[in-house]
Amino acid sequence: MRTYDNVLEMIGGTPMLRLARMDAGPCTLFAKLEMQNPGGSIKDRIGLAMVEAAEREGRISPGGTLVEATAGNTGLGLALVAAQKGYRLIVVMPDKMSREKVAHLRALGAEVVMTRSDVGKGHPEYYQDLAARLAKEKANAFFVNQFANPANVRAHEEGTGPEIWEQTGHRVDAVVCGVGSGGTLTGVGRFLKRQSPGTKMILADPEGSVLAPLIATGHMPNAGSWLVEGMGEDFVPPICDLSLVDQAITVSDRESFLAAREILAREGLLVGSSAGCIVAAALRWCRAQTAPQRMVAIVPDSGAKYLSKMFNDYWMLDQGFLDRPHHGNLRDLVARSHTAHEDYVVGPSETLMNAYGRMKLYDVSQLPVIDQDRIVGIIDESDLLIAVFGHEQAFKEPVAKHMTARVETVAVDAPVAALMPILRAERVPIVMDGATFVGLITRIDLLNYLRRKVA
Ligand SMILES: Cc1ncc(COP(=O)(O)O)c(C=O)c1O
């Protein structure tokens, strides 16, 4: 068992696991666990390789500033290296990325610039264009630019590829991965095509990305949008060699997220959304085989960064990726059912401090006040604020003293339209089934319901 002197020495050499509990048809399916890198993703490899290459070329030296455009993971890999080698790091990220990634980056000392996710290449707020501009504007700054950096490809051609070859005993019929910068596909593909020309490179591509349709038709379609993070593109990155792809498989967000949840449930592996996309494509390819094949799926990152998203049932329900039971009444709009014990409540004799703590912990802005399972009021952030502003000791006072006792109830079989006058009056509709409190409906619950009606 090796002891390391520096966290950077722990990059690479990641384990390979046989996914024995997934239905892979006649195939043997392996997972290359890149989430086991110290920064939590495959991008640690390129973070180190790109910095060391620039140092060898005399383009940077400790004390300098690195700037990069990233979905998060390359930023984390670079942040790990920058912290150990003494560089300042500025990363530019699209705002669809998880808050866990942003928190992790900042905690590693990186400066994070968030920008719009809904604009494409060429737009001044597009993350790659903004990063390039920031690097130009700053003195002594180096634009790492993973999308055009040959050290990115080399890291996989000299690292990931040879490891897969060793760990499969030189017997691998296919490898599936995705494309963000294209470094993994191009590096691993180049190595394996040289070493084992019969090995197939399978591209897993999120629905909405341009890559799989481009490979299938030869024409560049308009990019759509997708929630899978780190993969899928609206252009072909300069370093990405699509000619290495033998087959491209398009996977929807829903299928990717459900696959990631299944891998956790069956194999005990907490993987990221792109790994869900990759394994979903791997399973589809494997099940279509008629003879035994050995397939390796590259798992780029850990699921720890997506706990607030695809591993959160309410997020999945709100996004429409999990089917909720359909009641045909206002129960369908109640995100957290009181009858199913899914909501967060407070008692009338509890303190305002408790109410405040619960609102923060569960990220809700109001709590039903429940006394012996009967709703007796509601307390929200403004009730708290009015109570404690200039009189902080009120945090110790009971909720009953500051709650709103006059609640706006609606019958469970009332029309959706009955909600609007209450919401317009800045009140919260309380859904009742007779004398039973079903749950409350917030503005965002109604928006989610209306959003689900849009195809
Ligand atoms: C989670 C995740 N998956 C997959 C990829 C794609 O890897 P590559 O950039 O080598 O194409 C990335 C790249 O950022 C990623 O962050």
Side-chain angles (χ1 to χ4, degrees):
M1 293 297 291
R2 200 181 143 189
T3 302
Y4 300 90
D5 293 324
N6 182 298
V7 69
L8 302 183
E9 294 169 7
M10 296 167 66
I11 295 175
T14 54
M16 182 83 86
L17 172 72
R18 190 164 69 85
L19 300 183
R21 292 160 192 75
M22 307 292 283
D23 171 10
C27 297
T28 306
L29 178 58
F30 299 92
K32 176 73 172 153
L33 305 183
E34 290 299 307
M35 67 224 238
Q36 303 270 336
N37 280 300
S41 93
I42 195 168
K43 295 295 183 167
D44 290 2
R45 293 178 186 264
I46 72 165
L48 183 59
M50 294 189 295
V51 169
E52 290 189 336
E55 286 179 332
R56 274 195 308 276
E57 293 152 14
R59 305 172 73 180
I60 58 172
S61 57
T65 299
L66 308 175
V67 181
E68 180 61 309
T70 172
N73 285 325
T74 304
L76 287 167
L78 286 169
L80 206 64
V81 176
Q84 296 300 316
K85 287 178 173 273
Y87 288 92
R88 177 183 173 205
L89 174 66
I90 302 170
V91 295
V92 182
M93 275 177 79
D95 57 16
K96 79 167 184 182
M97 303 304 163
S98 76
R99 58 182 171 207
E100 288 93 337
K101 280 182 183 170
V102 178
H104 191 174
L105 275 163
R106 290 201 167 119
L108 265 169
E111 294 157 47
V112 180
V113 177
M114 301 301 285
T115 187
R116 291 171 57 178
S117 302
D118 61 339
V119 291
K121 199 152 182 56
H123 187 285
E125 290 173 82
Y126 183 66
Y127 72 124
Q128 293 169 33
D129 298 346
L130 178 53
R133 205 168 57 248
L134 282 180
K136 273 210 192 87
E137 289 162 4
K138 290 202 181 310
N140 194 18
F142 173 69
F143 181 34
V144 182
N145 193 10
Q146 61 175 316
F147 297 89
N149 195 319
N152 174 354
V153 174
R154 266 201 312 276
H156 299 294
E157 197 169 351
E158 296 165 5
T160 325
E163 286 177 27
I164 290 172
W165 188 234
E166 284 317 304
Q167 287 167 309
T168 54
H170 299 183
R171 291 182 309 117
V172 53
D173 301 300
V175 171
V176 56
C177 68
V179 162
S181 66
T184 309
L185 169 79
T186 308
V188 171
R190 273 196 196 143
F191 172 82
L192 286 175
K193 291 293 179 189
R194 218 175 24 247
Q195 203 69 32
S196 162
T199 298
K200 300 221 170 6
M201 290 303 294
I202 311 297
L203 171 66
D205 203 33
E207 198 173 276
S209 167
V210 299
L211 302 172
L214 175 62
I215 290 168
T217 67
H219 302 293
M220 178 71 87
N222 292 329
S225 66
W226 55 94
L227 293 170
V228 160
E229 294 186 30
M231 275 180 13
E233 273 304 346
D234 50 11
F235 77 116
V236 180
I239 59 168
C240 182
D241 181 356
L242 291 178
S243 73
L244 292 162
V245 176
D246 294 284
Q247 185 182 344
I249 297 176
T250 295
V251 184
S252 69
D253 281 336
R254 181 190 180 96
E255 196 182 350
S256 300
F257 296 150
L258 294 178
R261 291 162 66 102
E262 189 188 349
I263 296 163
L264 181 59
R266 288 177 182 273
E267 303 284 352
L269 272 184
L270 184 64
V271 304
S273 56
S274 69
C277 181
I278 289 166
V279 171
L283 292 172
R284 224 191 288 168
W285 187 88
C286 285
R287 291 169 188 158
Q289 304 309 306
T290 52
Q293 304 272 320
R294 292 162 57 84
M295 152 72 90
V296 173
I298 298 180
V299 169
D301 76 346
S302 146
K305 296 177 206 121
Y306 310 93
L307 291 172
S308 61
K309 292 188 169 176
M310 65 181 178
F311 292 107
N312 175 329
D313 288 0
Y314 299 109
W315 184 87
M316 288 287 280
L317 284 165
D318 291 347
Q319 301 290 330
F321 295 134
L322 277 182
D323 301 324
R324 58 180 74 230
H326 183 68
H327 303 274
N329 58 30
L330 292 183
R331 262 180 211 283
D332 296 334
L333 284 78
V334 172
R336 295 177 185 283
S337 156
H338 182 69
T339 37
H341 309 291
E342 293 171 343
D343 61 347
Y344 310 112
V345 302
V346 68
S349 55
E350 289 192 65
T351 63
L352 292 189
M353 187 65 86
N354 282 14
Y356 160 74
R358 219 156 289 156
M359 288 183 195
K360 269 188 71 176
L361 184 63
Y362 300 117
D363 198 14
V364 292
S365 53
Q366 71 263 306
L367 296 168
V369 183
I370 304 292
D371 189 10
Q372 287 156 359
D373 215 33
R374 244 173 11 87
I375 184 159
V376 293
I378 189 157
I379 187 151
D380 64 17
E381 286 163 339
S382 47
D383 296 325
L384 282 183
L385 201 51
I386 292 161
V388 302
F389 185 76
H391 176 46
E392 287 76 5
Q393 287 311 309
F395 270 116
K396 298 181 185 133
E397 294 175 358
V399 163
K401 185 172 172 193
H402 299 283
M403 69 182 191
T404 308
R406 199 172 63 77
V407 292
E408 301 284 350
T409 61
V410 270
V412 71
D413 50 10
V416 173
L419 302 170
M420 281 310 287
I422 303 173
L423 290 167
R424 257 202 213 98
E426 302 287 327
R427 310 294 299 270
V428 180
I430 304 289
V431 180
M432 303 297 289
D433 188 354
T436 306
F437 167 49
V438 174
L440 47 84
I441 296 176
T442 65
R443 277 186 290 263
I444 198 72
D445 295 335
L446 180 51
L447 279 169
N448 287 336
Y449 168 79
L450 298 170
R451 163 75 184 78
R452 286 196 295 273
K453 295 172 82 170
V454 181

